[in-house]
Amino acid sequence: MPLSLPRRPLMAGEDGIRLSLAGAQDKIALHVSNQKISMPLGGAPSTHILKPAIERFEGIVFNEAFCMKLAHAVGLHTAKAEVGRVDNIDYLLVEHYDRCLLKDASTGVEHLEREHQEDFCQALGISPDHKYQNEGGPSLKQCFALLRELSGAPAIDLQRLLDAVIFNFLIGNHDAHGKNFSLLYGDETRLAPLYDVLSTAYYPELSPKLAMKIGGEYVFGKVLPKHSDQLAEEAGLAKPMVKRRVRELAEVVLSKVSELIPELPAAKPVAELIRTRSIRVSAKFKQ
């Protein structure tokens, strides 16, 4: 069926301008099967989310696509995302990670089912209106504690969360708030793949303040190795390991950024920003 994509950007946040994708960007739930796109009706589960471009934020579709693919390239557990275009509007098509195919034992027919999930605000009983830490939202200390309590594989999930925090820091994703991390409740509770990952630092009109403090600091340029030590204490992790991981991920990001530019040339300015930030962090954490 033909799609009509909206062009209406909305803004959210109290401390400067915040880009909160749940409110700033209209999303369309779709079912994609055999290269055919349809609108799920009657409570049927969707398979993908379509996120159209926002006129006010140039290249945001390619920004998010690049950051999601970069996250995957450096080894992070990430939702699948692809760029498309319809009615001269670019869009990002993101595959739901909380879906599974089940086969009916009697008929053999497969059907799609939703897996139960909660974002960290829901799991911590925090209102979605207060998803940023400075507005009463979760801190990284609370997020790591939540995983320790609920994850069925805490050693793996704690490392994944640490890597996600560092990666968001490197790329300038200042919108990595409590609703942008989730738990999947399947056979065992696990940290969900990363989603809604983009460089908000690319847009100067958006807040430069991190959604959650790193070692007591909200500002990228002020985060030092001592802050990673404080983060390690709050997360219950070894200080040398956390500091080493910041440096390692900065160097891996630097090694992968150029490889992805030919795939998404429209994201080259974002890639250059990420490269610059990663060089700064790598140098700072070698001291």
Side-chain angles (χ1 to χ4, degrees), residues 60-73:
I60 195 168
V61 164
F62 300 100
N63 181 334
E64 184 170 354
F66 184 85
C67 291
M68 294 280 283
K69 290 179 182 294
L70 180 60
H72 178 74

Side-chain angles (χ1 to χ4, degrees), residues 87-114:
D87 293 339
N88 295 317
I89 301 174
D90 297 312
Y91 65 83
L92 189 71
L93 192 65
V94 183
E95 184 177 338
H96 278 301
Y97 54 77
D98 56 337
R99 300 290 189 267
C100 60
L101 274 177
L102 298 179
K103 183 179 288 188
D104 188 283
S106 59
T107 65
V109 176
E110 291 185 332
H111 61 282
L112 196 66
E113 289 284 345
R114 299 179 179 90

Side-chain angles (χ1 to χ4, degrees), residues 222-254:
K222 295 181 179 180
V223 174
L224 302 170
K226 68 178 183 180
H227 295 104
S228 76
D229 288 343
Q230 184 176 334
L231 170 61
E233 286 186 8
E234 293 171 351
L237 302 171
K239 293 179 184 179
M241 183 277 287
V242 173
K243 194 177 300 182
R244 182 177 66 251
R245 192 60 180 152
V246 174
R247 184 176 66 250
E248 287 174 350
L249 273 182
E251 292 171 354
V252 175
V253 165
L254 284 169

